[in-house]
Amino acid sequence: MDVEWYVYRGNNIVEELFGVLKELGYTVIAPVKRGDVHVLAVVKDPSSIDLNFVRTVNSPKHFLYTMEEPLFRWRRTSSGLIFEEIAPATKPCAFLGIKPCDANAISLLDEVLGTWCRDPYYLARRSSSFVIVYDCRHKDQYCFCESVGHRQPAKGSYDLWVVEDGGEVYIGIGTNRGFSVVRKLRVERSARVPVIRRLGTDRIPRNLLEKLGELYEADAWEDLSSRCLLCGGCTSSCPTCTCFDMRDEPEPDLEQGVRFRTWTSCVLRSFTMVAGGRVVRKSREERFKFRYFHKLVFSRTRFGRYLCVGCGRCSAQCPAGIDMVEVVSKVVGSNS
C-alpha cells in the first residue's frame, strides 16, 4: 500500500489529535470503557479515550447508518396526502481510534450505500465524517480479520492511520483532509515504513473459505443451524449489515404521521415475507445459512471483497455461542 508516513514528535498523540479535531469543529467519537466492555461514544475529554481493547460493542455503522431514521411526515388534506421529507440530522463527526476492520467496514458501507444503491441519509453523514484508524494491537478467540483480508485498512477507508512500531508513533496519510490535520501536529516526514505485524487471526485458510460457495446444500447446515435462536443479534452487531424495514407511526386521529426506516435482519421470518404473505425462506436452516452466503460468497461475486471484516462481534455477542469461523470450518470440513 502506497502511504505517505510521518513520525510523531509530540508527547500524546491522542490528546493532540483530539484537540485538532475539536478545533476543526468535529464531534469526536472514540472508544471508552464502560464496565467490562468498550463502546464507541461521543467524548468531550481525551482522557476518557481508552485504546486498550479488542473490539467495541458497537461500530461506526451505529452513527453513520442509524438504527432508526425518520424519512418523511405525511398528512391528509382535502386535496389528498402531502409528504414532507425529513432531512437527515448531520453534524461533522470524527472517529478517533477505530480498528482497521471497522475502517474497512465503513469502506464496504460506502460500496453498498454509496455506490450500489446511493442512500442519501448515509451519504450525508459519511461526507462529513473523518476517520482515524489506530493499528490493532490486541486480539481474542473470535477475531479472524486475516482470514478475510481485512487486517489493514483499505485505501479510501481512512483519513489517518496511526501505527506504533519500534517505540515510534507513525501517522499514515489517507486523504488530503488527513494531511491538513497532520500539518497541525508535531511531526516530521518518515523515510521508514512502519512494520504492520501479523496478529495470527487467520483462523481459517483462504482456500477453504473459498469452497463455501459450492456447499449451499451441505448436510452440515441443518445441525449447525439448530442452535440458532434467530434473534438477529449477529446482524445488529455486524458493522456491515444494512437490511432495513419501514414503519409508519400515525397520530391517533390518523390524519398525519411519520414513516421510519429501522434496522432488521435477514434471519427474521418477517424479513423474508413478500407480497401476499409468502415467506421466501421458511426454515431456520435457510435463514441461518443465507447470512453466511451473503457475507462470504455473494458479496465476493458482486464487490470482489468479503462483506465480513472478521471483527468477531457476531460470535462474541451470540447468546447461543455460535462462532462464525467454527460454522464455516465444519461445513467445509464435512465435505472435504
Side-chain angles (χ1 to χ4, degrees):
M1 186 183 297
D2 187 18
V3 180
E4 185 177 337
W5 292 97
Y6 288 78
V7 181
Y8 175 66
R9 294 306 186 197
N11 298 319
N12 190 315
I13 181 65
V14 173
E15 284 189 5
E16 281 203 41
L17 283 170
F18 180 90
V20 172
L21 293 171
K22 294 298 290 183
E23 177 188 320
L24 293 172
Y26 287 102
T27 295
V28 179
I29 298 167
V32 298
K33 189 171 185 181
R34 291 184 178 168
D36 295 329
V37 300
H38 284 76
V39 298
L40 287 178
V42 173
V43 294
K44 298 184 177 179
D45 182 349
S47 65
S48 65
I49 299 174
D50 186 355
L51 299 177
N52 186 34
F53 69 100
V54 174
R55 71 179 62 79
T56 52
V57 172
N58 56 350
S59 71
K61 183 186 78 172
H62 287 72
F63 300 89
L64 297 173
Y65 185 72
T66 55
M67 192 175 294
E68 183 171 88
E69 183 94 63
L71 303 181
F72 59 81
R73 296 182 183 87
W74 57 268
R75 56 191 173 87
R76 195 187 306 274
T77 68
S78 57
S79 57
L81 286 175
I82 293 179
F83 301 94
E84 299 172 352
E85 185 177 359
I86 301 173
T90 59
K91 183 181 289 186
C93 69
F95 297 100
L96 173 54
I98 66 172
K99 296 293 183 74
C101 58
D102 275 349
N104 285 340
I106 293 176
S107 131
L108 288 166
L109 291 176
D110 289 347
E111 183 81 34
V112 175
L113 300 174
T115 301
W116 183 46
C117 67
R118 294 200 60 79
D119 181 279
Y121 300 89
Y122 172 80
L123 289 171
R125 295 190 180 94
R126 179 70 177 105
S127 64
S128 61
S129 67
F130 192 94
V131 177
I132 301 177
V133 177
Y134 212 97
D135 198 56
C136 202
R137 297 173 293 173
H138 306 285
K139 66 169 184 176
D140 66 8
Q141 70 271 31
Y142 301 115
C143 298
F144 60 103
C145 61
E146 288 167 332
S147 293
V148 287
H150 289 294
R151 165 65 183 94
Q152 298 185 29
K155 183 178 180 181
S157 69
Y158 64 92
D159 296 286
L160 296 176
W161 178 13
V162 180
V163 178
E164 294 182 3
D165 179 42
E168 301 277 17
V169 176
Y170 294 84
I171 306 176
I173 310 295
T175 63
N176 289 333
R177 287 190 307 176
F179 183 69
S180 67
V181 168
V182 165
R183 289 176 60 186
K184 296 176 178 289
L185 304 176
R186 290 172 284 179
V187 297
E188 62 184 46
R189 186 72 182 270
S190 174
R192 179 178 178 273
V193 175
V195 175
I196 310 300
R197 67 184 186 214
R198 287 188 68 259
L199 292 173
T201 61
D202 46 350
R203 295 173 55 205
I204 177 169
R206 186 73 64 88
N207 64 322
L208 292 184
L209 192 58
E210 291 175 350
K211 291 182 179 180
L212 185 65
E214 306 165 11
L215 302 173
Y216 194 81
E217 301 298 336
D219 293 336
W221 288 113
E222 182 177 2
D223 181 59
L224 290 167
S225 65
S226 64
R227 291 165 51 198
C228 180
L229 303 176
L230 300 179
C231 65
C234 52
T235 53
S236 63
S237 65
C238 176
T240 66
C241 277
T242 57
C243 291
F244 66 88
D245 201 352
M246 297 293 185
R247 187 184 82 252
D248 281 306
E249 285 195 1
E251 294 294 328
D253 61 5
L254 302 182
E255 294 296 314
Q256 57 188 328
V258 178
R259 172 163 291 186
F260 291 87
R261 177 176 68 184
T262 60
W263 288 2
T264 187
S265 171
C266 61
V267 304
L268 302 179
R269 186 177 186 275
S270 58
F271 182 76
T272 73
M273 185 179 293
V274 296
R278 177 171 178 257
V279 177
V280 178
R281 289 183 289 274
K282 293 182 179 180
S283 72
R284 178 190 307 268
E285 178 187 338
E286 287 175 306
R287 300 203 293 276
F288 177 82
K289 69 182 176 182
F290 176 81
R291 184 176 76 90
Y292 285 81
F293 272 75
H294 174 59
K295 294 294 180 185
L296 301 172
V297 179
F298 305 149
S299 60
R300 189 89 187 279
T301 301
R302 172 169 286 175
F303 305 121
R305 290 190 288 171
Y306 295 113
L307 201 56
C308 169
V309 294
C311 68
R313 284 187 179 89
C314 60
S315 302
Q317 297 182 34
C318 177
I322 297 172
D323 185 331
M324 193 169 192
V325 171
E326 260 180 40
V327 170
V328 173
S329 298
K330 287 179 179 178
V331 169
V332 176
S334 65
N335 287 269
S336 297

